[in-house]
């Protein structure tokens, strides 16, 4: 099942593919580079496009998430135990906006996984929305 991550982000957001099993969900998320491409003939493609995995520059894009760079993947079980793998090359978070996008995506994945699992398994109280740690003033 494909979803566009419903997060308040600086960029275009993320595409997320979910695979659901009875007691866990697996996910793969890729950053959307653009969702508006005008072809030479003037037609407009409004599908999300992602950076092509293995491409040498940022202009090589694909609308197929199966061919896209993976931002994060993993699975979350009914009890909240999770396996999460970030881009094996390492994430490049360019400034505050990218950090905010990252935190928003991870919080959204957690909440959405809980919704998907709760539809199949009772007693999934652990999936309350995540909150940010409070900053201490020195």
């Amino acid at each position: 099942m494909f979803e566009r991550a419903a997060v308040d982000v600086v960029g275009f957001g993320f595409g997320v593919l979910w695979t659901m099993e009875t007691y866990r969900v697996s996910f793969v998320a890729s950053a959307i580079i653009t969702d508006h491409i005008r072809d030479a003939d003037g037609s407009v493609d409004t599908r999300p496009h992602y950076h092509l995995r293995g491409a040498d520059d940022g202009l090589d894009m694909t609308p197929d998430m199966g061919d896209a760079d993976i931002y994060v993947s993993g699975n979350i079980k009914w009890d909240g135990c999770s396996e999460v793998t970030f881009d094996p090359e390492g994430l490049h978070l360019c400034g505050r906006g990218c950090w905010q996008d990252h935190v928003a995506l991870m919080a959204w994945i957690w909440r959405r996984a809980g919704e998907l699992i709760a539809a199949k398994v009772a007693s999934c109280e652990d999936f309350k929305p995540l909150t940010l740690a409070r900053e201490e003033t020195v």
Side-chain angles (χ1 to χ4, degrees):
M1 169 179 86
F2 171 82
E3 288 186 302
R4 191 160 178 166
V7 297
D8 185 19
V9 297
V10 175
F12 289 98
F14 297 87
V16 181
L17 290 175
W18 296 97
T19 305
M20 292 170 278
E21 299 173 31
T22 304
Y23 293 101
R24 84 175 179 182
V25 294
S26 299
F27 61 90
V28 175
S30 295
I32 298 172
I33 303 302
T34 188
D35 59 2
H36 188 91
I37 295 177
R38 185 174 303 277
D39 293 329
D41 65 0
S43 61
V44 177
D45 185 348
T46 58
R47 296 176 296 171
H49 280 69
Y50 312 90
H51 187 259
L52 182 65
R53 186 179 313 121
D56 290 331
D57 67 44
L59 298 177
D60 291 333
M61 294 181 284
T62 179
D64 183 353
M65 271 191 67
D67 294 331
D69 279 344
I70 295 172
Y71 182 84
V72 62
S73 63
N75 62 71
I76 302 174
K77 294 180 4 188
W78 67 274
D79 60 0
C81 289
S82 309
E83 306 275 334
V84 179
T85 303
F86 295 100
D87 180 344
E89 301 296 318
L91 292 179
H92 176 79
L93 301 176
C94 193
R96 180 182 174 90
C98 287
W99 274 94
Q100 286 180 275
D101 290 354
H102 176 75
V103 170
L105 174 66
M106 297 310 295
W108 182 85
I109 285 174
W110 173 263
R111 182 190 52 76
R112 186 66 178 125
E115 292 171 353
L116 295 170
I117 292 169
K120 296 184 174 213
V121 179
S123 302
C124 292
E125 297 87 14
D126 197 31
F127 287 97
K128 295 180 179 123
L130 299 175
T131 57
L132 295 176
R134 295 179 190 198
E135 290 185 26
E136 293 184 32
T137 53
V138 182

